[in-house]
Amino acid sequence: MTYELPPLPYAKNALAPHLSEETLNFHYEKHHRGYVNKLNQLAAEKPAWAGKSYEELIKTESGVVFNQAAQIWNHTFYWKSLSPNGGGAPTGKVAELINEAFGSFDAFKEKFSAAASGHFGSGWAWLVRDDNNKLQIVSTHDAGNPIKDGHIPVLTCDVWGKNFP
């Protein structure tokens, strides 16, 4: 199995002005593609890795293989967490769960933003569903992924150390 860079779900300029085409292109083409290329190199050296999904590698591996698989998964999920037509408060079951966990959507936004902006260095802010089917906000460093802890990711924000003062 060869790992492939998944296509973006929108054009590279679709998120402007919030995320410029230049920034998205650099992040997607250099970083995301780089993780895919590196994982393919590693899988060529140890074919047992090549037959595993990203989720399997995240759950079972450590070190460089974990880092590549997790960064691919994280970035793919991140791109899918963004939308050129998104925004606004959720409705339905998601709104109910957010209100139950955080009191209100505004309170969730405040806590999620604090988790992202308060993160030192590179990593991720996540909204996850835990073992008790409750929503919570977690932060991971570098390639960290909440799947490793048995959580189900719902939303993520890629935190680059240079983004925040």
Side-chain angles (χ1 to χ4, degrees):
M1 171 171 139
T2 300
Y3 297 101
E4 295 183 14
L5 181 67
L8 289 169
Y10 35 73
K12 291 179 183 171
N13 64 354
L15 301 175
H18 309 289
L19 189 62
S20 73
E21 180 175 3
E22 177 184 22
T23 299
L24 194 148
N25 192 52
F26 180 80
H27 203 77
Y28 176 74
E29 292 294 344
K30 181 179 181 199
H31 294 290
H32 198 170
R33 184 178 300 282
Y35 300 129
V36 172
N37 291 343
K38 180 66 174 177
L39 185 58
N40 279 319
Q41 290 172 352
L42 294 166
E45 295 169 14
K46 187 172 178 183
W49 288 329
K52 293 185 176 182
S53 70
Y54 298 126
E55 291 85 357
E56 289 175 295
L57 293 172
I58 290 166
K59 290 176 183 177
T60 62
E61 299 299 327
S62 60
V64 69
V65 172
F66 166 82
N67 287 335
Q68 304 314 306
Q71 288 287 27
I72 295 164
W73 195 98
N74 294 356
H75 281 88
T76 301
F77 189 79
Y78 172 64
W79 302 129
K80 292 178 181 178
S81 293
L82 303 173
S83 170
N85 302 313
T91 58
K93 186 67 173 173
V94 173
E96 289 174 31
L97 292 171
I98 286 175
N99 290 337
E100 179 183 311
F102 304 103
S104 70
F105 182 63
D106 285 338
F108 159 72
K109 288 192 306 185
E110 185 177 312
K111 290 176 182 172
F112 191 79
S113 295
S117 64
H119 186 89
F120 182 78
S122 295
W124 303 85
W126 299 89
L127 175 66
V128 300
R129 193 175 79 200
D130 66 18
D131 297 346
N132 298 314
N133 208 28
K134 302 290 183 194
L135 295 180
Q136 61 176 278
I137 295 168
V138 298
S139 180
T140 61
H141 290 280
D142 302 320
N145 182 299
I147 291 173
K148 189 104 172 160
D149 300 320
H151 295 140
I152 298 171
V154 176
L155 177 73
T156 195
C157 179
D158 188 356
V159 180
W160 306 337
K162 61 190 170 292
N163 282 354
F164 303 103

